[in-house]
Amino acid sequence: MYIKPLEIPRHILAAQALDVRIPASHLFKEKISKRAANLLSGYKGENAMRYHLQFLPEDDFLIFHYIRLPDEYKHFQIDFLLLSRWFYLIIEVKNIYDNINFDDLGQTYRKIDDNVEVFTNPVEQINLQYRRLLSWLSKYDLPSVPIEKIVVYSRDDTYLRNLNNDKRISDIVMHRDKVLSKVDSFIDKHQTPRISEQQLLDLSWHLLNEHVPEKDGGMDQFNVNYDDLIKGVLCPDCGTVPMQWKSGKWWCDFCGCTSKTAHRQALMDYALLVGEHINNRQARDFLRVGSSYIAKDILQKENFEKIGSTSGRKYRIDLENLFKSRSWKQKARSSHQKSRSSQ
């Protein structure tokens, strides 16, 4: 049973928004794009686990996706944490194409032709997660429960090579289609309940209560300020910015696309990168509309919460509802490089 369901974390949405809103001429554009792509790839790998995890006994396991907990070394993050009365399981997910090699020096790398790309050793990474989770659990008066750990490569076409036949690697590292049989082996290994159902629920409450989601979409990391951002409503068909507001619709001068709701993605970007509260002047500037009446009409039709009096009124952008209502056929997110703004 999912206690913390699988959903795309806010900092990944913010990284995507930053990538779209930063012009190609920006000093850190390449790094910003690479970070957004890597974060999204990681989430896609975690999402690929959904199918296999649904076959676990629902009454026996509590599943947490993306748990980020504080400790004396700031925070540590776990892709999936599975709790049961018999054992806990940490799952670290990797979404890497082609080949992955593990050598006798503890290096993890991908080699394509003469190019070698080195990655963090996932075995050492998950061992550190294990240590930090163990320390975090020690704060609570709960029984000791065995903690298992596995590293899962989510792509079926990833070629895993254990060059030194290291048993630690073969025990921990696997493709996703091996996960269920591995969990079955843990079930066979741990036959004695170590914790009561109530204690398990108490632990779940502590996990949810102490979870600290990452909020930084990268603006601080790359020294980006508001003036660096591309303003305007992006065309959902071709990515051109800005669209023009005419006769109650957004019009794209480049491809002729029209939309009544294209501003929602722009408001999402504003909430993710700038803040969840916006006033009329700020909306006019970011959406690139010249009339305060148009901006007011757009904001009011979204039924956002109003804060303050008429002269100083702000609107709280409902990020969750905007995200739920947006179309996943948004071509602007995948083709923003085609944007014909004044970049």
Side-chain angles (χ1 to χ4, degrees), residues 53-65:
L53 293 179
Q54 71 179 338
F55 293 103
L56 292 172
E58 185 174 349
D59 294 336
D60 291 344
F61 289 95
L62 304 180
I63 304 174
F64 298 78
H65 169 246

Side-chain angles (χ1 to χ4, degrees), residues 44-204:
K44 287 180 177 178
E46 294 159 22
N47 194 43
M49 290 294 299
R50 187 196 302 266
Y51 176 78
H52 296 275
L53 293 179
Q54 71 179 338
F55 293 103
L56 292 172
E58 185 174 349
D59 294 336
D60 291 344
F61 289 95
L62 304 180
I63 304 174
F64 298 78
H65 169 246
Y66 177 58
I67 283 290
R68 186 170 178 265
L69 301 170
D71 67 2
E72 59 184 310
Y73 308 103
K74 293 190 176 179
H75 297 88
F76 65 101
Q77 183 250 318
I78 296 174
D79 291 340
F80 286 98
L81 179 61
L82 277 58
L83 304 182
S84 76
R85 295 184 59 203
W86 299 268
F87 64 93
Y88 306 151
L89 174 61
I90 302 171
I91 303 179
E92 174 67 23
V93 182
K94 300 297 182 185
N95 185 27
I96 301 175
Y97 69 90
D98 208 287
N99 66 85
I100 290 294
N101 303 280
F102 301 87
D103 70 11
D104 58 346
L105 295 178
Q107 299 175 116
T108 304
Y109 62 91
R110 172 173 60 198
K111 185 175 183 181
I112 302 176
D113 297 327
D114 292 329
N115 298 316
V116 176
E117 184 177 3
V118 179
F119 299 94
T120 301
N121 185 318
V123 174
E124 300 304 330
Q125 182 182 1
I126 202 168
N127 284 339
L128 183 58
Q129 291 173 353
Y130 167 86
R131 289 173 179 268
R132 297 178 77 171
L133 179 61
L134 200 62
S135 176
W136 183 86
L137 289 168
S138 68
K139 298 185 301 181
Y140 302 104
D141 186 21
L142 293 169
S144 176
V145 176
I147 302 175
E148 300 288 357
K149 49 192 184 294
I150 57 175
V151 175
V152 180
Y153 283 81
S154 62
R155 294 177 61 106
D156 295 330
D157 58 354
T158 304
Y159 180 29
L160 302 174
R161 294 194 291 182
N162 184 358
L163 300 180
N164 202 40
N165 293 320
D166 188 334
K167 190 175 185 302
R168 293 187 314 149
I169 294 171
S170 58
D171 282 347
I172 293 177
V173 178
M174 65 200 67
H175 282 108
R176 62 176 175 170
D177 59 354
K178 299 294 184 183
V179 168
L180 291 176
S181 59
K182 191 67 175 180
V183 173
D184 285 342
S185 73
F186 293 146
I187 292 173
D188 292 339
K189 177 181 175 182
H190 304 288
Q191 293 284 320
T192 304
R194 301 297 188 95
I195 191 170
S196 70
E197 290 186 7
Q198 183 57 53
Q199 289 170 323
L200 202 60
L201 292 175
D202 291 342
L203 175 55
S204 298

Side-chain angles (χ1 to χ4, degrees), residues 234-251:
L234 276 74
C235 174
D237 274 2
C238 72
T240 296
V241 60
M243 297 182 82
Q244 307 299 321
W245 182 264
K246 304 174 186 176
S247 304
K249 294 180 182 179
W250 295 103
W251 294 74

